[in-house]
Amino acid sequence: MNSLLRLEEIGQLLLAILLFTYLDYVWWVFPACILLPDLSMLGYLVNPKTGACLYNFFHHKLTTILIFALGTSLNMPILILSGIILFGHSAMDRIFGYGLKYNDDFKHTHLGEIGK
C-alpha cells in the first residue's frame, strides 16, 4: 500500500510541475519556492499544538486547491503559483513520508512515525 500511495503522490508532484509550466514564470521559480511551505514549521517554536496547526494548514491539499481556485477565479497569478507550490510541496513531503501532524509531536503524522 505504501508504494501505491507514494506513486499517487509522485503523480501529484508531476501534475504540479505540469501546471507550473503553463504559468508565465521562469523555470527556476518552482525549485526556488518549493521548500517555502516548510516555514510553517516555525510554529513549533511556540509549542507542538501551534506547530501542528500551522503546518497542517499549509500542507493540507484542500487548502492548496482552494488557493489555486481562488487565484484562477480572480485571475491572480501569484495565488495560482502559491496553490501550485503548496500542492507540489505537500505531495513531495508525502513521497518522503512526512504527513499531516498530530498535536503531540512533530514526528507523529497521519502516515505514521517519521523515521520508522
Side-chain angles (χ1 to χ4, degrees):
M1 186 58 71
N2 285 339
S3 296
L4 188 59
L5 290 174
R6 202 166 264 137
L7 282 173
E8 184 177 46
E9 298 300 338
I10 289 169
Q12 290 176 18
L13 177 58
L14 291 174
L15 174 62
I17 293 168
L18 176 68
L19 290 172
F20 175 79
T21 65
Y22 289 101
L23 300 179
D24 195 25
Y25 291 96
V26 293
W27 70 269
W28 55 263
V29 170
F30 191 89
C33 294
I34 197 68
L35 294 178
L36 288 176
D38 279 340
L39 289 174
S40 63
M41 288 189 291
L42 291 174
Y44 281 95
L45 295 174
V46 177
N47 61 48
K49 186 175 181 179
T50 301
C53 183
L54 198 58
Y55 182 93
N56 289 343
F57 177 78
F58 285 102
H59 288 76
H60 196 282
K61 290 186 181 164
L62 180 59
T63 303
T64 71
I65 291 167
L66 291 175
I67 291 170
F68 176 81
L70 183 64
T72 302
S73 66
L74 297 176
N75 196 25
M76 295 181 67
I78 192 69
L79 285 181
I80 296 170
L81 174 65
S82 297
I84 291 171
I85 293 295
L86 289 168
F87 186 79
H89 177 86
S90 297
M92 186 180 68
D93 268 8
R94 289 182 178 94
I95 290 167
F96 296 113
Y98 296 95
L100 298 174
K101 310 298 182 207
Y102 287 99
N103 291 335
D104 59 345
D105 185 22
F106 178 81
K107 292 183 176 183
H108 188 198
T109 77
H110 82 286
L111 296 176
E113 188 87 12
I114 294 174
K116 287 193 173 186

